Amino acid sequence: MELTLPTSKEPNKMSSIDYSSFKSPLNHPGEHLKLEYLPTYGLSPAEFSYAIGVDSEQTIELLNGERSMTAELALRLARFFNMSPEFWMNLQVQMTCHERRYDLEGSSKN
């Protein structure tokens, strides 16, 4: 079986999900953390902050969507949850790109 790379005329079959068709904004990484991860582990924000070694104010801001995911924080979350830091960074990138795409498309219609 021969593998071929797509040419510029062929669509990339490995591309990710097209979020441009989503009507509502994507969830902030902190919202995923607050709604899916902390309850599963039975941790309060303060307990979680202590466990990953960050200031509780930083955690609260992330959970409330007031702070963006950083590489350092993604590494701490990845270590704690035994997963990749790219998961957390990708959540932030996808949300930010979706917001900016919406802003750009909305401003081009005016």
Side-chain angles (χ1 to χ4, degrees), residues 1-108:
M1 178 173 156
E2 185 177 329
L3 296 176
T4 59
L5 296 175
T7 65
S8 59
K9 295 178 184 177
E10 295 177 348
N12 183 352
K13 295 179 178 111
M14 300 292 287
S15 65
S16 62
I17 298 170
D18 178 13
Y19 292 99
S20 63
S21 63
F22 285 28
K23 301 288 185 225
S24 61
L26 298 175
N27 291 338
H28 188 278
E31 189 172 349
H32 285 285
L33 187 60
K34 178 170 53 177
L35 299 177
E36 297 177 28
Y37 289 87
L38 293 187
T40 300
Y41 286 79
L43 294 171
S44 71
E47 292 168 328
F48 181 68
S49 296
Y50 180 79
I52 64 170
V54 299
D55 183 68
S56 59
E57 183 177 331
Q58 183 179 355
T59 301
I60 296 297
E61 289 173 354
L62 179 69
L63 296 175
N64 291 334
E66 299 166 355
R67 177 183 287 268
S68 295
M69 181 62 62
T70 63
E72 179 184 344
L73 193 50
L75 288 164
R76 290 175 183 273
L77 294 175
R79 186 179 333 140
F80 184 82
F81 292 115
N82 194 28
M83 55 196 311
S84 77
E86 290 83 6
F87 170 81
W88 295 103
M89 291 304 299
N90 285 336
L91 288 175
Q92 182 67 53
V93 169
Q94 290 169 357
M95 185 200 74
T96 303
C97 285
H98 182 74
E99 288 175 344
R100 296 307 167 257
R101 181 180 293 121
Y102 179 79
D103 291 345
L104 287 173
E105 289 174 358
S107 65
S108 67

